Amino acid sequence: MIILDYRDARPLYEQIVDKFQTLILKGVLEPNAKMPSVRSLAVELSINPNTIQRAYSELERTGFIYTVKGRGNFVSYDDSLKEVLRKALFDRLDALAQEARELGMTKEELCDRICAVMQEGEAND
C-alpha cells in the first residue's frame, strides 16, 4: 500500500502523510475505513512506530482521519479536504512559477510543460 523512497529528502512521516492523503482523496481508502494500526504499519514498513504515530497525528490534525479511543484510526473524508489540498498545490505552483521566472523561463515554456504533464495524465486515465 505504501512505499517509502529513502532517497527523498522529505522526512518519512511526510511521505506517509502524502501517500495516505492521496489514497483517501482517490477513494482507495473509503470514508470510515479502518486505518492500519501504528504497530502493524511500522512493522510492514520497517520503521519506528513513533514515525507512524507522527504521520497519523498530522493526518488527524488536517482532518483526513479520526481516532476512536480503543478502536483505532479511521478515514474521515469530505470534499473540503480536497479544497485544502488544492490551495496548498496552488501555493506550491506559485512558488515554482516564481522560481522559474527567476531562472529566466518564459511563460510559454512553463505553460507548455504543465499542459504536457496534464495531457500525459489524461492519456493514462
Side-chain angles (χ1 to χ4, degrees), residues 33-83:
K34 188 167 181 3
M35 297 285 289
S37 73
V38 169
R39 187 171 294 147
S40 68
L41 190 56
V43 168
E44 181 182 326
L45 297 175
S46 300
I47 60 175
N48 190 313
N50 292 334
T51 303
I52 305 298
Q53 186 56 53
R54 186 169 181 187
Y56 277 14
S57 294
E58 180 65 18
L59 287 165
E60 186 170 16
R61 187 187 69 74
T62 55
F64 280 88
I65 65 173
Y66 63 93
T67 302
V68 176
K69 206 162 194 88
R71 299 209 47 228
N73 298 293
F74 297 84
V75 175
S76 170
Y77 175 79
D78 64 43
D79 288 332
S80 66
L81 294 176
K82 202 173 246 184
E83 195 54 43

Side-chain angles (χ1 to χ4, degrees), residues 2-7 12-13 15-16 19 45 47 52:
I2 301 250
I3 298 173
L4 299 175
D5 181 2
Y6 292 98
R7 292 175 287 164
L12 294 176
Y13 87 93
Q15 292 182 48
I16 294 167
K19 303 279 185 183
L45 297 175
I47 60 175
I52 305 298

Side-chain angles (χ1 to χ4, degrees), residues 10 14 17-19 21-22 25 82 84-100 110 114:
R10 295 176 303 152
E14 283 184 14
V17 168
D18 286 348
K19 303 279 185 183
Q21 285 177 340
T22 300
L25 290 173
K82 202 173 246 184
V84 169
L85 287 182
R86 283 176 59 96
K87 183 189 177 327
L89 176 64
F90 280 123
D91 289 346
R92 289 194 335 245
L93 277 173
D94 291 347
L96 286 172
Q98 176 67 26
E99 187 177 340
L110 196 55
I114 291 171

